[in-house]
Amino acid sequence: MRPRTIVLGLVAVVVLVGGILLSITDQFFVDLLWFRSLGYGSVFATTVKAEVAIFAAVWLFAFAAMVASGLAAVGLSRDRERLRVVRRPGEGAEVNLPELIRTLGDRVPWRVIVVVASAVLAIFVAQGEAVSWDVYLKALYHVPFGVKESAFGHDVGFYVFALPLLEELRDAFLLVIFLAGAVAAAVYWARGALDFRETPPRIAPAVAAHASILLGLFFVQRAFGFWLARFNLLLHTNGVVFGLRYVDAILWQPGLWLLVVFSLLAAVVCFANLTERGLARLVVAAIISFGPSLLLNFAQPVIERLWVKPDELRIERPYIERNIAMTRRAYKLGGVDVKQFGGLGTLTMASVEQDAPTIKNIRLWDPRPLIATYRQLQEIRLYYDFKDVDIDRYTINGNYTEVMLSAREMNIDQLPESAQTWVNQHLKFTHGVGLAMGPVNDKDSEGLPIFYIKDIPPVSSVGFKIDQPGIYFGEEPDNYAIVNAATPEFNFPKGAENVFSFYQGEGGVGVSGILRRLLFSIFYKDINLLVTENIVPKSRIMFRRNLTQRISYIAPFLVLDRDPYPVIHDGRIAWIVDTYTTSDHYPYSQRNADQINYIRNSVKVVVDAYTGATEFYVADPEDPVIQTWERIFPTLFKPMSQMPGDLRLHIRYPEDLFLIQADIYRTYHMTDPQVFYNREDLWGFPRENYGDQIIAMQPYYVIMRLPRETTAEYILMLPMVPQGRDNMISWLAARCDGADYGHLFEYSFSKDRLFYGPYQIQARINQNPEISRQLSLWNQMGSKVVFGNLIVIPIQDSLLYVEPLYIRAENGQLPELQRVIASYSDRVVMGETLDATLQALFIAGPAPAAPVLAKTAAPGAVPGVPAGRDLQSASQHYNRAMDALKAGNWAAFGAEMQALGQELGQPAAQLNH
């Protein structure tokens, strides 16, 4: 290799290493400035100190091990200082070794090569451990759970906090042994002491001695792994029991101790081979270590088949009991309040009116079609975007009211291509503005939503005041923005003109000055940050503006809910984000589809949409995991009592957590081991038909008065059905308000009666002749009928089903709420409004034997009214209502049915005037 090539190669290496160091340094200072701007400099310092300490300790250990192994190989290998060729037996031809090895052997001492190679390889090992800094800190600062498992007598905290670290160290030790062996093997091969081209391979005695040490260490690591495997017996499953089983207790608990002993014995045999320097003892050591493990694996199915399977329930019963108890504890299901729901009540119009708060808040707008309507009516300009529609509640005009709302964010990707300039993307179009809000249960005359808050700047018809509607932080993808630049920002459109302004907050990081501009220019690989004249002394750069990215960067150990929601707070908009602490190491607890088996909604995060201020409030102070993180980061978290009162009114039980709990509860509501073992009462999520697809029903928020309660409250609920069937078996609810927040209920239905499930009600709707005829008519007229969420509303020990119906043009994106369908008992009716539908549903009395719309009546007779009266007026109203129904005139139908109800409500004397 020519000297010039070597010099160029060295220059390339220096440039590469320099670039990596520059990137790391730049990242460090950008992060430091960002954390300090949020008031979390101590959080950043703790994290960096932990990463550096772990990196240094692991690097030193890995480097020492590899250097020792490599230098030993150099000393033990045959003395071929400038090896250029290796001859095959019986051959005179030379075979060139790789040019790089030959060159290095000629010009650089082998000891230097070993040291450099070990230092580089140790970096990868250390970095792999440093990124797991949270595992180390949790083990060092952990708080006990105060719950002990019975197999080993350890606190649950040992499994959640300490065991993951021990597993991390086990794997790192194995990796170091492997790399130390690889360095030694490379040296031996390059220096001719190891030649794999011969059959069998030629191995020098010194190599065998070195291999004996490395294999001995491998068997020590294997013994440590077997010792840890005892605890992992509480973290696996055979499909019947999660955690320790009978075969684990009688075979693997003692068996793993034997494997520990045999592995240590194998290590002793390897170390003893240092004097013999042969391969025979190494083979014996492998047999000693691996042989018993194979025998135990062969013994397990024999024990299960001959002893466990014939009487599995009796034998596994104590382990099933532990599995049930610990799973319910891990998912916080032990406090579920089980109540009976007989379904024996009888609803009338009068009883429905007594539950007016519940009825008035029945959700008729489904977030799925509503988002399209909001986009058509309220995005105003093409660069604004509604990401999704959220559900919340406010007190409006003295009434506790459920609302739907969506924040109007800036999406620069929707700017015309000609407007996609650097100035527009980062200096001009920097923020969204305001939000749209409306009631869940109302519409205008055209079937479109009514808005409590609308337009830009936002105006309210019910008294909401938003003084600062700017949204710089939200759900849109992250895009850095420079505020208080020389050029003003676009604030909002006003007619044919635009309104411009300057930022008035404290968000972001100062970006003026050549050093900071250079820092961020390197960080974003954007030369414009360095050369633009728009950055002035007051300029600030806002980045990590996406809520998920922002929170995850501050607290990567928290798992974020998928649905942040905006709240009007103190004249501005704030985001509330639910976050979770989780673990996959809770003993005996069943893992879910995401492979976790412990979860708590421990932290509520509030992000100011204008300034980006991010606050972490502890919502579950009894959670040992969040207590551990509070010890690690004492300045990061605040108690829930410090959250502003108007924000506390809007916290809600998160849907993601509720779904996870419901998924586990559908099996673990069975607390009797025999019922659990036979899966006699396994539940599932109900199905619903949406958009011509059958999907699992999602939980829904609703304001309602729970059975036997006196006031309406905000809850999250979900019906449940037997596995593989569609009838309802129960419904689950989580309270969201006040001191009862987080209280879980199960309302269990009687198993000797049929309760229609959502999918069955939808089938009955489709089978109703009048409704089916009307749906066919709409679909044939170039319109598309879209069904919304079917809501199941428990009222006074009865069930009321309500489903909205939307109509949109075949190729349109503006769904209109045109009908409301309701079902009770055997009736299914459809009306233009909820009030009209309920009156039609209950006007003829409670619980008829057939759907009211399917009934016919003889001329002059009104169903459900005693004979012998002069009911000419009532009969006329009824007949006109039926004529209107056949003609599809729902307004006339509702008016005539209302008039009929008024007639029937009069005394007999007045009816016979």
Side-chain angles (χ1 to χ4, degrees):
M1 183 180 293
R2 297 178 179 178
R4 181 180 178 183
T5 305
I6 296 175
V7 171
L8 290 176
L10 292 175
V11 170
V13 170
V14 170
V15 171
L16 176 62
V17 173
I20 294 173
L21 292 177
L22 177 63
S23 178
I24 293 173
T25 303
D26 185 79
Q27 176 81 50
F28 172 82
F29 282 107
V30 168
D31 288 346
L32 177 63
L33 292 172
W34 187 73
F35 274 91
R36 284 181 173 176
S37 72
L38 292 171
Y40 295 133
S42 61
V43 174
F44 179 69
T46 299
T47 303
V48 171
K49 288 176 184 177
E51 289 180 309
V52 170
I54 295 167
F55 183 94
V58 175
W59 186 88
L60 283 173
F61 174 76
F63 174 73
M66 285 184 276
V67 163
S69 180
L71 294 181
V74 172
L76 293 172
S77 61
R78 289 187 299 177
D79 188 16
R80 295 191 176 185
E81 291 299 339
R82 286 175 173 81
L83 182 65
R84 287 185 174 86
V85 299
V86 173
R87 300 179 184 275
R88 297 180 186 275
E91 296 182 1
E94 292 185 350
V95 180
N96 289 329
L97 290 174
E99 188 176 1
L100 177 61
I101 294 178
R102 186 174 67 239
T103 303
L104 290 175
D106 285 340
R107 291 175 169 77
V108 183
W110 281 101
R111 287 180 173 81
V112 175
I113 296 174
V114 168
V115 170
V116 172
S118 298
V120 173
L121 291 174
I123 289 174
F124 293 101
V125 179
Q127 181 59 28
E129 290 303 300
V131 297
S132 299
W133 58 268
D134 57 323
V135 175
Y136 285 80
L137 291 183
K138 283 192 297 183
L140 291 174
Y141 291 90
H142 77 270
V143 174
F145 274 69
V147 177
K148 289 188 176 182
E149 49 79 22
S150 57
F152 299 100
H154 288 305
D155 184 86
V156 168
F158 168 78
Y159 295 89
V160 173
F161 301 120
L163 185 58
L165 176 58
L166 295 175
E167 292 170 340
E168 190 81 22
L169 295 176
R170 174 200 62 195
D171 297 340
F173 186 32
L174 179 61
L175 179 59
V176 170
I177 293 173
F178 172 79
L179 292 176
V183 170
V187 172
Y188 285 128
W189 172 72
R191 292 173 63 83
L194 190 62
D195 191 350
F196 291 103
R197 290 172 298 183
E198 297 183 6
T199 305
R202 179 167 57 83
I203 301 176
V207 177
H210 197 163
S212 297
I213 296 175
L214 292 174
L215 279 175
L217 293 174
F218 167 74
F219 288 127
V220 170
Q221 188 274 346
R222 187 170 169 82
F224 180 54
F226 285 133
W227 183 78
L228 289 181
R230 299 179 308 120
F231 306 115
N232 279 295
L233 293 174
L234 278 62
L235 299 170
H236 75 144
T237 182
N238 66 342
V240 176
V241 180
F242 191 96
L244 195 74
R245 305 167 291 164
Y246 176 79
V247 70
D248 298 328
I250 69 164
L251 177 66
W252 286 108
Q253 270 191 290
L256 286 169
W257 269 120
L258 288 175
L259 294 180
V260 170
V261 173
F262 279 118
S263 293
L264 291 176
L265 180 60
V268 172
V269 172
C270 289
F271 296 142
N273 193 51
L274 287 174
T275 57
E276 295 292 332
R277 299 192 175 190
L279 297 180
R281 288 191 179 183
L282 301 183
V283 174
V284 171
I287 294 173
I288 291 174
S289 178
F290 290 99
S293 178
L294 294 174
L295 292 176
L296 288 172
N297 279 287
F298 284 132
Q300 176 176 327
V302 174
I303 295 174
E304 289 179 334
R305 179 67 184 87
L306 299 180
W307 182 256
V308 178
K309 290 296 182 183
D311 196 12
E312 189 171 39
L313 175 58
R314 181 187 64 81
I315 291 175
E316 300 285 15
R317 187 182 187 94
Y319 307 103
I320 293 175
E321 290 174 345
R322 295 177 195 172
N323 175 208
I324 294 172
M326 295 296 273
T327 298
R328 289 171 64 92
R329 182 188 293 270
Y331 288 93
K332 211 170 185 179
L333 297 174
V336 174
D337 193 355
V338 180
K339 298 186 177 184
Q340 296 301 312
F341 188 87
L344 301 175
T346 300
L347 287 183
T348 64
M349 198 64 205
S351 61
V352 167
E353 289 173 352
Q354 290 177 1
D355 258 316
T358 299
I359 300 300
K360 289 180 179 179
N361 285 285
I362 292 178
R363 179 157 59 85
L364 302 181
W365 282 106
D366 187 323
R368 294 168 292 190
L370 184 61
I371 185 64
T373 304
Y374 271 25
R375 286 170 177 165
Q376 291 292 318
L377 300 179
Q378 280 294 305
E379 281 187 350
I380 313 295
R381 295 287 179 90
L382 54 88
Y383 36 75
Y384 289 125
D385 187 24
F386 291 111
K387 292 293 290 185
D388 62 2
V389 174
D390 296 296
I391 303 171
D392 202 353
R393 72 284 197 198
Y394 289 80
T395 299
I396 299 175
N397 296 327
N399 297 316
Y400 199 40
T401 305
E402 190 173 11
V403 299
M404 310 190 83
L405 68 165
S406 185
R408 186 185 294 102
E409 299 189 59
M410 175 66 67
N411 185 352
I412 60 170
D413 292 334
Q414 296 180 178
L415 286 170
E417 186 174 352
S418 60
Q420 294 279 350
T421 65
W422 184 82
V423 171
N424 279 347
Q425 290 178 329
H426 301 291
L427 278 73
K428 285 289 185 184
F429 295 90
T430 56
H431 61 281
V433 56
L435 51 78
M437 176 195 288
V440 299
N441 63 341
D442 207 353
K443 63 172 183 173
D444 65 16
S445 59
E446 297 181 357
L448 299 175
I450 290 175
F451 290 101
Y452 287 159
I453 302 176
K454 63 179 181 179
D455 297 341
I456 302 175
V459 294
S460 173
S461 60
V462 292
F464 284 107
K465 187 177 181 181
I466 304 179
D467 301 316
Q468 183 47 265
I471 301 177
Y472 286 84
F473 301 85
E475 297 183 83
E476 289 289 341
D478 187 55
N479 175 64
Y480 75 84
I482 299 174
V483 298
N484 288 334
T487 178
E489 305 167 53
F490 167 75
N491 197 9
F492 56 84
K494 188 175 183 180
E497 299 179 353
N498 293 329
V499 176
F500 294 87
S501 66
F502 288 95
Y503 182 68
Q504 301 296 318
E506 298 296 326
V509 176
V511 73
S512 63
I514 188 63
L515 289 179
R516 290 202 177 185
R517 292 173 68 170
L518 178 62
L519 189 72
F520 284 101
S521 180
I522 295 173
F523 183 74
Y524 281 108
K525 300 177 178 61
D526 189 344
I527 191 65
N528 291 294
L529 285 165
L530 188 61
V531 301
T532 182
E533 296 181 358
N534 283 298
I535 294 179
V536 296
K538 291 184 178 180
S539 298
R540 304 180 71 82
I541 184 170
M542 294 182 173
F543 58 105
R544 294 173 186 151
R545 299 197 291 154
N546 174 267
L547 297 173
T548 299
Q549 182 185 14
R550 189 175 190 81
I551 296 169
S552 296
Y553 216 87
I554 300 171
F557 46 85
L558 295 176
V559 178
L560 272 64
D561 190 87
R562 58 186 167 87
D563 187 27
Y565 58 100
V567 173
I568 299 173
H569 161 59
D570 196 23
R572 56 207 302 154
I573 297 170
W575 296 93
I576 295 181
V577 186
D578 287 288
T579 65
Y580 311 102
T581 51
T582 64
S583 175
D584 59 358
H585 274 64
Y586 200 96
Y588 290 104
S589 176
Q590 177 69 50
R591 290 194 176 112
N592 74 345
D594 296 323
Q595 295 303 302
I596 64 169
N597 63 359
Y598 174 87
I599 186 169
R600 292 291 186 273
N601 176 213
S602 296
V603 179
K604 307 278 188 181
V605 183
V606 177
V607 180
D608 190 296
Y610 189 71
T611 66
T614 306
E615 306 289 346
F616 294 77
Y617 297 97
V618 176
D620 189 351
E622 297 180 359
D623 172 29
V625 179
I626 201 60
Q627 291 176 6
T628 298
W629 286 116
E630 285 184 285
R631 294 179 67 180
I632 297 169
F633 299 116
T635 63
L636 177 59
F637 301 100
K638 297 180 179 180
M640 201 68 181
S641 59
Q642 291 187 19
M643 179 185 283
D646 59 338
L647 282 178
R648 284 204 306 272
L649 294 175
H650 295 280
I651 64 170
R652 67 186 189 188
Y653 202 82
E655 185 178 333
D656 282 359
L657 174 61
F658 188 70
L659 268 174
I660 290 173
Q661 291 177 310
D663 183 49
I664 294 297
Y665 193 73
R666 67 191 187 91
T667 301
Y668 285 87
H669 71 277
M670 297 179 284
T671 55
D672 181 271
Q674 180 172 339
V675 176
F676 181 90
Y677 173 81
N678 293 318
R679 297 298 196 265
E680 297 175 19
D681 193 18
L682 189 63
W683 293 352
F685 293 157
R687 301 184 296 164
E688 67 171 343
N689 194 322
Y690 179 78
D692 298 326
Q693 291 184 334
I694 298 175
I695 60 175
M697 190 174 189
Q698 297 296 303
Y700 49 89
Y701 293 98
V702 63
I703 292 178
M704 63 170 287
R705 183 169 64 87
L706 290 168
R708 293 175 288 279
E709 297 292 336
T710 57
T711 58
E713 57 187 290
Y714 194 56
I715 67 168
L716 178 63
M717 65 174 291
L718 177 68
M720 302 295 285
V721 299
Q723 184 70 27
R725 298 175 63 186
D726 291 317
N727 59 289
M728 280 178 60
I729 192 68
S730 71
W731 59 277
L732 304 179
R735 285 176 148 167
C736 300
D737 287 343
D740 289 325
Y741 173 86
H743 191 174
L744 297 177
F745 286 90
E746 174 207 334
Y747 285 89
S748 179
F749 292 1
S750 172
K751 292 183 173 61
D752 57 4
R753 296 187 60 201
L754 173 65
F755 293 86
Y756 289 126
Y759 193 70
Q760 291 173 320
I761 293 295
Q762 286 186 324
R764 296 185 66 230
I765 290 172
N766 291 326
Q767 293 166 3
N768 184 282
E770 297 294 336
I771 296 177
S772 178
R773 186 180 305 116
Q774 184 63 63
L775 297 181
S776 298
L777 180 62
W778 279 321
N779 284 323
Q780 292 171 6
M781 296 174 62
S783 298
K784 177 69 175 177
V785 175
V786 179
F787 286 99
N789 281 127
L790 191 146
I791 308 293
V792 183
I793 308 295
I795 300 178
Q796 298 184 9
D797 207 30
S798 296
L799 293 177
L800 175 66
Y801 305 84
V802 177
E803 182 168 31
L805 184 150
Y806 311 95
I807 297 177
R808 63 173 173 82
E810 189 69 35
N811 299 317
Q813 294 296 324
L814 190 62
E816 299 174 354
L817 175 59
Q818 291 294 339
R819 296 291 185 269
V820 178
I821 303 171
S823 177
Y824 169 67
S825 186
D826 289 328
R827 294 178 179 163
V828 177
V829 300
M830 182 169 71
E832 287 192 3
T833 65
L834 179 61
D835 289 341
T837 302
L838 293 179
Q839 289 195 22
L841 185 64
F842 295 110
I843 197 65
V852 66
L853 292 183
K855 288 191 173 184
T856 59
V862 181
V865 179
R869 286 183 173 179
D870 181 6
L871 299 177
Q872 182 178 0
S873 178
S875 178
Q876 290 174 350
H877 285 303
Y878 178 80
N879 290 333
R880 284 197 293 267
M882 293 301 102
D883 291 339
L885 179 62
K886 293 176 182 178
N889 188 339
W890 293 98
F893 172 76
E896 293 297 336
M897 293 301 287
Q898 185 173 7
L900 174 62
Q902 293 173 351
E903 290 285 352
L904 296 179
Q906 294 176 354
Q910 294 182 20
L911 288 172
N912 292 313
H913 64 279

